[in-house]
Amino acid sequence: MRGVGRLRRAGKALAGRDEVAVAARRPAPPRPRGPAWDDRGRTLEEGELPRVAAITMARDEGPMIRRWVEHYGAAFGAEHVYVVDDHSSDGSTDDLPATVLRYPYLDKYGFEPSRMGIVSGLAHSLLFAYDAVLFCDADEFVVADPKRHESLRHLVAALADRPAVAVAAYNVIHDVAHEAPLDLDRPLLQQRRYAQFTPLMCKPSLKFVRADWSHASHAVGCEFSVEPDLVMFHMKFADRDQLAVQAARRQHLNVSENRAQQTSWARSGDEMVALLDEVSGLIDADDLGRFRPAPKRLEQIVRHEGEPGAPNERWRSTGDGQVIALRKGRFVAIPPRFQDLV
């Protein structure tokens, strides 16, 4: 009964206070202690394909979220796709062929700790039923290099001895002067020719163990490496019109809900479109880099942080922020073998 009395007194003490201010002062949720739980439960038989779940978290992503669901539904089965809906108001998460989970507003600990806690916790639960979980944003499309693998599930099977794996990430770039706006009813990569390899975006998106993601999923609490055959095409800069809409929406969230501070979310739609115009104007089809990064470059992306075995131990992808990376990055041609995969 003492505990009940303390709770009642605490509730009275909070009465009348501004709830948003109270929530802002609450501490972040505690991180689990100890090493990642690497009890995978079963070993795949030779030739057996793994059960894989795909997760994203989205708010007002427009038609892109349906393309995301269709992409991963084709790869893993629609019943294995999970969308955490962060209060979409544009109807984009209605009637999706996926499991849609709806949460209260994330004001208890702040948005980013809550987002990482929710998707990590969901992944922990799913790993009781699945062999692997893939988490990425609603404009990120992961594929297996078709030159080397029959399908994405075949590649996941080949990677099953690792605790987590990072994607080889490419920002797809809209060549504004020569390419029309995206038709979302057609394969996207049939309409775009150029991309930039972006080290910071090489996130540990695929994991087989119950280790928490952190730092906007650029880090995870277990060792990982970048797999060049696990290719992620990021569509944020793939369409000028879509970029203007989404950048304006994200800037509004940055200001109104204090989200994604010190990131490109602080920039207006006009600023992001001007950036794309500037960068796309630098494309030189006669001076392109190699599509597949050298192994040594991939090894340099992952950094180990924290003390071994400590709660803050993690492995993290590193590199220039997206704006700097866009201006400094080398353009590559997207190989034709990927054109029908996204």
Side-chain angles (χ1 to χ4, degrees), residues 180-255:
L182 280 178
D183 179 352
L184 294 181
D185 292 326
R186 293 175 49 211
L188 303 184
L189 295 185
Q190 288 184 5
Q191 305 171 63
R192 294 293 179 261
R193 295 171 293 172
Y194 304 111
Q196 290 178 336
F197 178 69
T198 310
L200 184 64
M201 297 296 291
C202 294
K203 299 181 285 189
S205 300
L206 177 69
K207 67 179 182 179
F208 299 84
V209 302
R210 298 176 186 91
D212 283 348
W213 284 297
S214 62
H215 290 77
S217 78
H218 292 263
V220 70
C222 65
E223 192 169 0
F224 71 89
S225 57
V226 181
E227 172 52 56
D229 288 351
L230 189 67
V231 182
M232 187 267 280
F233 292 102
H234 184 209
M235 306 303 292
K236 178 176 180 176
F237 301 99
D239 185 82
R240 190 179 190 272
D241 296 339
Q242 288 290 319
L243 176 63
V245 172
Q246 292 300 334
R249 180 184 65 82
R250 288 166 179 164
Q251 187 195 38
H252 172 73
L253 293 174
N254 175 271
V255 174

Side-chain angles (χ1 to χ4, degrees), residues 67-141:
R67 286 301 306 264
W68 188 95
V69 166
E70 291 171 350
H71 175 79
Y72 291 104
F76 305 135
E79 66 273 27
H80 307 307
V81 177
Y82 298 83
V83 176
V84 179
D85 180 28
D86 177 29
H87 294 88
S88 293
S89 60
D90 64 350
S92 59
T93 58
D94 296 341
D95 302 319
L96 286 176
T99 298
V100 179
L101 306 172
R102 304 182 193 278
Y103 281 77
Y105 277 103
L106 303 179
D107 57 2
K108 183 177 180 180
Y109 297 113
F111 175 72
E112 192 55 35
S114 298
R115 184 173 82 106
M116 289 294 95
I118 286 170
V119 297
S120 293
L122 177 58
H124 291 185
S125 300
L126 292 174
L127 283 169
F128 281 98
Y130 291 90
D131 301 301
V133 174
L134 178 73
F135 168 65
C136 55
D137 293 339
D139 57 2
E140 296 175 348
F141 296 82

Side-chain angles (χ1 to χ4, degrees), residues 27-81:
R31 289 179 55 82
R33 295 184 178 273
W37 184 7
D38 194 359
D39 181 8
R40 306 188 192 212
R42 73 177 189 134
T43 301
L44 296 177
E45 300 293 335
E46 184 177 354
E48 182 183 7
L49 293 180
R51 294 189 293 263
V52 186
I55 305 172
T56 195
M57 191 167 189
R59 180 196 279 194
D60 295 338
E61 291 290 342
M64 191 63 76
I65 184 63
R66 183 167 292 274
R67 286 301 306 264
W68 188 95
V69 166
E70 291 171 350
H71 175 79
Y72 291 104
F76 305 135
E79 66 273 27
H80 307 307
V81 177

Side-chain angles (χ1 to χ4, degrees), residues 139-156:
D139 57 2
E140 296 175 348
F141 296 82
V142 177
V143 300
D145 189 332
K147 186 177 181 179
R148 296 173 171 81
H149 304 277
E150 186 175 340
S151 72
L152 185 52
R153 287 180 71 199
H154 282 83
L155 175 54
V156 173

